[in-house]
Amino acid sequence: MRILFVHNGYESLGIEYLSAALKRAGHETALVIDPCLFDEAGFWRSPALSSLFSFRGRVLRQAEAFRPDLLAFSVFTDTWPWARALAAELKARTGARTVFGGIHPSSVPDEVLADQAADFVCLGEGDLALPALAAHLTAGGPLPAGIWGKKGGTVVKGPPPAPPADLDALPLPDKELFSAAAPVFSDGYLLSSSRGCPHSCAYCCNSVYRELYRASGVPCLRRRGAENVLGELEGLAAAPGFVHFTDEVFNSDYGWLEKFLPLYKARVGLPFSCFVFPDARLAALAPALAAAGCFKVQLGVQRFDEDKRAELLGRRAANADIAAAIKALRAAGIYVTCDNILDLPDESEGELAALAAFYAEHTPDHNEVFFLRLYPGTPLAARCAGRADAPGGLMRPSGHSPLPPGRQRAWFSLLTLLPRLPAPLRRFAAARPGLFRLAGGLGLRALSRLLSRPRRDFHTGRFLRLYKHFIFAKLKGHG
Ligand code: B12
Ligand code: SF4
């Protein structure tokens, strides 16, 4: 079969794994990128600029030229409106069938299948399910595990999803798919040494996946063997500048890391960044991470109150461990970014003041501050039923918090700017959110990200390269 992936501007490891699995099964794959310039799902959108720099015409032409049998979309909640509109148009032009996978179709499969543009949805990981769907479309037979379709308006369900238990048995991700589509993706190497997470935070996709996989008996968290990961990196034709591990929690298995980190240093030696969970053992791991080449970690703090962090968000983390981790990681020379969530339904001025005072004392290099989104299918969304997110909600308060939006923006600005202030000013500033009332907005966030040294920030670097590449392409008339 000829399977065409159509994706927005960012490299997707999921699509690379799916393409590799399809090629192994003898199918032909291709990728068409719609860069969605100035239309950053979940962040911001400029209707005038996005229409001026639209690549829709080129996407349609490239897709038609491939003559696909199956159109495949990988979809987040925020990219679903883009995907369904494009799928409808492509389906009409090519006559191909469509399949949607990723977190949004996995969370609300009925809703996605109800759309006329959707023929099939995949629930959970598609490494086994998508080649099985291609076989089903070629040879017939029952729907495979994890795939839902429809017959005459009625939903037909395959058996419950069964994710791959042995990650080492999967083919390595098809990296050429993205680098061939645009050269911006050859900067840095995206890799995951695991699937899933040991935690189940109430706002996160892993709560959804854990439920989906329950019947299969396959655990949510699985890790590749150290040799399998090293083999992927040693086999590269040209060494990338750095590696970015997208594992949900890179420090989910300390025994594995003890073995892996020295081997990585000796046999790969590339600088790397990763996400970490601030558990009691993270501070002690800092020197080994740094020695292996770790230059940056992203660490979830989310809120200050430990009890509310556990009760509302389902995250069990102690502030003493967070403080110790920030200190030890920075002392080891690792750049520390902390993630925070504002607009929580039970937050208060007191808690935000305590969070700011905490950061004045235990200061990371960079703070990422988001406003709460209630993603469908998560326990937090179920608990907050009746509430709705504002459009573009990650970047603006939706009114979940009892605090007025202006006050939220002041705290957003204060927390974003705090790590940039000289140490003697931090405590003074932390107690005066009113001073930051007018400093808010996206510009501030963008500035803060740029200050966090784009070459060290995988996503900011890619974002800048993507825009440069496609704006030049448009100006040269290649849209
Ligand atoms: C790395 C990452 C990113 C990267 C790369 C995104 C990408 N395109 O892959 C960047 C930084 C760009 C990013 C950005 C955003 N992200 Co993000 N991201 C992740 C993260 C941590 C890992 C994704 C990953 O690589 N997984 C590993 C691969 C192997 O798995 P996978 O992509 O899920 O693919 C497998 C299955 O889902 C399935 N599948 C996927 N697609 C398809 C398609 C078909 C046809 C089929 C059959 C199967 C299938 O099969 C794949 C192989 O097994 C996830 C958390 C997570 N676990 O998903 C959040 C996550 C996807 N991100 C999220 C969000 C909200 C965003 C942003 C909107 C904002 C933000 N918080 O940064 C932006 C949107 C960017 C955009 N415009 O597309 C949310 C989405 C929630 C939701 N319900 O929509 C997640 C789930 C985190 C969360 N909060 O729970 N993200
Ligand atoms: S630790 Fe991170 S990835 Fe894991 S469930 Fe919590 S938010 Fe999701």
Side-chain angles (χ1 to χ4, degrees):
M1 280 194 102
R2 296 167 67 78
I3 296 123
L4 181 70
F5 292 96
V6 185
H7 198 53
N8 61 6
Y10 296 97
E11 179 181 349
S12 158
L13 203 46
I15 289 180
E16 292 169 351
Y17 270 107
L18 296 171
S19 174
L22 288 165
K23 283 183 174 170
R24 183 188 264 185
H27 302 288
E28 203 176 323
T29 66
L31 167 72
V32 169
I33 288 184
D34 179 355
C36 299
L37 298 185
F38 305 103
D39 186 4
E40 296 289 329
F43 280 101
W44 55 277
R45 175 163 202 267
S46 159
L49 285 173
S50 68
S51 109
L52 189 64
F53 289 95
S54 167
F55 278 78
R56 179 65 66 118
R58 179 166 110 160
V59 169
L60 297 174
R61 283 195 302 279
Q62 288 181 336
E64 276 184 282
F66 182 69
R67 289 178 290 103
D69 301 306
L70 184 64
L71 294 158
F73 289 83
S74 181
V75 192
F76 296 169
T77 300
D78 291 306
T79 56
W80 166 234
W82 161 82
R84 69 195 286 198
L86 191 53
E89 202 166 349
L90 283 174
K91 201 169 149 57
R93 283 176 177 239
T94 62
R97 275 178 282 193
T98 58
V99 55
F100 291 81
I103 183 62
H104 189 66
S106 300
S107 306
V108 283
D110 286 300
E111 202 180 300
V112 172
L113 261 188
D115 197 285
Q116 287 205 334
D119 293 317
F120 299 97
V121 293
C122 173
L123 289 80
E125 289 156 57
D127 310 77
L128 309 176
L130 188 55
L133 173 64
H136 162 84
L137 291 173
T138 318
L143 275 181
I147 298 287
W148 290 10
K150 50 192 179 188
K151 220 178 210 160
T154 316
V155 172
V156 189
K157 300 179 184 178
D166 176 9
L167 300 183
D168 290 359
L170 297 177
L172 294 177
D174 179 7
K175 290 281 172 177
E176 271 182 20
L177 196 71
F178 275 85
S179 49
V184 294
F185 301 112
S186 46
D187 164 42
Y189 192 85
L190 208 61
L191 180 143
S192 187
S193 71
S194 62
R195 297 264 176 101
C197 182
H199 307 279
S200 266
C201 301
Y203 52 88
C204 173
C205 63
N206 283 291
S207 307
V208 177
Y209 287 134
R210 179 161 283 111
E211 275 313 304
L212 271 183
Y213 297 160
R214 202 172 287 286
S216 73
V218 178
C220 177
L221 175 65
R222 288 140 292 144
R223 197 128 206 173
R224 293 164 65 184
E227 281 303 325
N228 185 265
V229 178
L230 294 166
E232 177 176 347
L233 290 165
E234 286 176 327
L236 298 177
F242 58 96
V243 173
H244 177 61
F245 286 97
T246 64
D247 298 65
E248 307 287 35
V249 172
F250 192 58
N251 58 328
S252 62
D253 182 342
Y254 283 84
W256 187 90
L257 282 175
E258 241 167 62
K259 182 177 164 203
F260 176 75
L261 290 175
L263 291 174
Y264 176 90
K265 172 72 186 161
R267 289 164 52 184
V268 180
L270 290 169
F272 71 91
S273 51
C274 57
F275 300 104
V276 287
F277 188 91
D279 61 24
R281 297 173 69 182
L282 177 58
L285 183 72
L289 279 174
C294 178
F295 64 88
K296 180 186 168 188
V297 297
Q298 195 152 344
L299 181 152
V301 174
Q302 316 306 6
R303 70 184 305 170
F304 180 78
D305 188 307
E306 289 179 357
D307 294 335
K308 289 180 170 177
R309 189 189 283 141
E311 200 278 319
L312 186 84
L313 302 183
R315 281 178 77 89
R316 272 157 199 80
N319 289 338
D321 291 336
I322 296 173
I326 293 174
K327 185 174 174 198
L329 290 160
R330 293 195 70 203
I334 298 173
Y335 191 90
V336 178
T337 288
C338 288
D339 281 349
N340 306 276
I341 307 176
L342 295 189
D343 202 20
L344 296 167
D346 58 351
E347 78 187 359
S348 63
E349 287 281 345
E351 187 185 0
L352 292 170
L355 182 64
F358 175 84
Y359 282 135
E361 209 62 44
H362 312 284
T363 318
D365 293 282
H366 178 72
N367 256 336
E368 284 284 347
V369 186
F370 299 102
F371 295 102
L372 178 66
R373 304 271 350 240
L374 297 169
Y375 287 116
T378 59
L380 192 57
R383 184 166 167 174
C384 297
R387 293 176 186 274
D389 290 328
L394 266 172
M395 285 298 99
R396 72 179 59 114
S398 295
H400 299 310
S401 160
L403 306 184
R407 196 65 183 168
Q408 297 250 0
R409 278 194 288 273
W411 283 112
F412 168 92
S413 306
L414 192 161
L415 290 165
T416 304
L417 283 175
L418 199 73
R420 312 282 165 209
L421 299 178
L425 267 184
R426 281 184 209 135
R427 230 190 263 174
F428 174 84
R432 289 166 183 81
L435 290 178
F436 296 81
R437 208 161 30 100
L438 300 175
L442 263 178
L444 181 70
R445 180 193 185 84
L447 180 70
S448 169
R449 276 213 178 177
L450 288 171
L451 285 174
S452 87
R453 289 174 282 177
R455 266 172 299 125
R456 293 188 150 235
D457 178 355
F458 186 81
H459 302 299
T460 308
R462 287 246 174 135
F463 171 86
L464 295 174
R465 284 163 63 93
L466 182 90
Y467 273 69
K468 190 173 150 198
H469 176 82
F470 281 100
I471 286 175
F472 272 117
K474 191 76 186 176
L475 295 177
K476 283 187 200 151
H478 298 318

